[in-house]
Amino acid sequence: MELGLRGKTALVAAASSGLGFAVALRLAAEGARVAICARSEKRITEAAERIQGETGSHVLPVVADLSRREDVARFVETARRELGPVSILVTNTGGPPSGPPLSFSDDDWEAAFGLIFYSALRLIRAVLPDMEAQKWGRVVSITSISVKQPIDTLVLSNATRSALTALVKTLSTVYASRRITFNTVAPGPISTGRMEQLIQHAISREGLSPQEALSQWISDIPMRRLGKPEELADLVAFLCSERAGFITGTTVPVDGGAVRGLF
Ligand code: NAD
């Protein structure tokens, strides 16, 4: 299926590893010109070189901490200057800490909203003028199944990503007639560094063996396995494509059937 992404400028946030990296690789493989960001210069440069080597597409690495307003602005400005007007934005960040729901301080809450909600809001605000001028745009936000089925140990994720989902849904309606779509993808447990970290926490906090800690995550998944980053990236690439022009304002889980709700 031709996705129509060739030559389009795409921004993928938090893409030196994990889901962001897989999405950037997939978009680049479809011929998009991709800008990626993360905090470590070494890791984001290596990621860009790897994607460029595997796909032959131009990939621009930008060092940026998404929890800092000025870094978000610089990420977008650099990408626009080097690659041209932005047509596609994939918002993503590192995940917030896990713990008992009332164990977090006000500072923890502010940091989580800064990292997850405000980073996406600021990215969206910054790229929308380009999309409006082109009368075409795609915004996809990577959230979590926690927006459909809250996870007891991840209240910071449950709350901040739900706020982001509400923002995206609101914008989807307002911008629908301008051919700019907004969707979210909601990963269940997918095999990345973040997942390893959560499993490691369960081992150290609850004294579980690695197998027991993994079972805790997959026992509720009907497919009884973790997802692969490429399985999420394929969906994101489709939602970013010409083919997905009539899909907006929706949240698509990529979770092996883990969410039990009807919608
Ligand atoms: P990951 O930890 O493997 O990768 C996170 C990426 O974000 C890395 O490139 C890291 O460098 C970058 N990053 C972290 N903090 C940043 C910051 N402040 N500024 C810029 N870059 C930053 O995580 P992942 O598994 O790829 O997950 C991506 C997002 O999806 C996270 O928010 C995670 O909580 C969420 N999520 C993941 C899963 C899963 O199972 N993997 C499930 C649900 C939700």
Side-chain angles (χ1 to χ4, degrees):
M1 188 190 296
E2 172 57 50
L3 296 183
L5 294 171
R6 196 155 297 283
K8 288 201 156 65
T9 296
L11 262 64
V12 184
S16 63
S17 63
L19 304 179
F21 177 85
V23 168
L25 179 65
R26 185 71 168 85
L27 293 177
E30 293 296 327
R33 296 137 57 86
V34 184
I36 58 176
C37 81
R39 289 161 300 177
S40 152
E41 179 162 16
K42 181 171 181 292
R43 295 189 63 211
I44 199 67
T45 307
E46 284 171 0
E49 284 169 0
R50 203 176 129 202
I51 297 171
Q52 212 158 289
E54 283 186 32
T55 65
S57 288
H58 181 43
V59 181
L60 175 72
V62 179
V63 179
D65 180 342
L66 289 159
S67 60
R68 295 165 60 97
R69 184 195 308 242
E70 57 278 19
D71 284 20
V72 172
R74 190 169 39 74
F75 176 40
V76 176
E77 280 157 20
T78 310
R80 185 181 283 131
R81 192 177 59 241
E82 302 280 326
L83 304 180
V86 180
S87 303
I88 293 165
L89 168 67
V90 179
T91 78
N92 180 40
T93 60
S98 61
L102 294 182
S103 64
F104 299 105
S105 66
D106 285 8
D107 286 348
D108 294 331
W109 278 98
E110 277 173 25
F113 267 99
L115 181 64
I116 296 199
F117 179 81
Y118 281 107
S119 68
L121 171 65
R122 289 170 182 147
L123 283 166
I124 291 169
R125 270 198 204 125
V127 302
L128 265 177
D130 286 1
M131 296 181 179
E132 289 192 87
Q134 295 170 86
K135 297 189 172 49
W136 195 95
R138 299 282 185 263
V139 178
V140 177
S141 289
I142 298 177
T143 62
S144 164
I145 52 166
S146 68
V147 302
K148 289 191 170 274
Q149 191 166 280
I151 300 167
D152 293 353
T153 54
L154 284 172
V155 70
L156 297 176
S157 169
N158 304 341
T160 56
R161 297 187 206 275
S162 295
L164 174 56
T165 305
L167 170 73
V168 167
K169 181 69 182 172
T170 307
L171 295 175
S172 73
T173 315
V174 175
Y175 285 89
S177 63
R178 286 172 249 187
R179 296 177 70 219
I180 303 171
T181 66
F182 290 83
N183 293 290
T184 64
V185 293
I190 295 186
S191 182
T192 65
R194 162 76 173 167
M195 198 62 231
E196 277 166 28
Q197 203 183 44
L198 291 171
I199 288 174
Q200 207 50 50
H201 280 185
I203 294 170
S204 51
R205 252 202 332 258
E206 297 163 41
L208 302 179
S209 71
Q211 193 48 48
E212 286 166 336
L214 175 65
S215 301
Q216 233 183 20
W217 281 96
I218 60 175
S219 59
D220 273 352
I221 303 175
M223 289 189 183
R224 294 284 185 275
R225 67 170 176 90
L226 297 177
K228 300 175 196 155
E230 348 28 301
E231 290 173 316
L232 179 123
D234 285 346
L235 170 67
V236 174
F238 179 75
L239 290 173
C240 290
S241 76
E242 288 285 358
R243 301 283 171 160
F246 202 52
I247 303 174
T248 196
T250 196
T251 293
V252 189
V254 181
D255 67 349
V259 169
R260 296 301 198 271
L262 291 178
F263 302 107

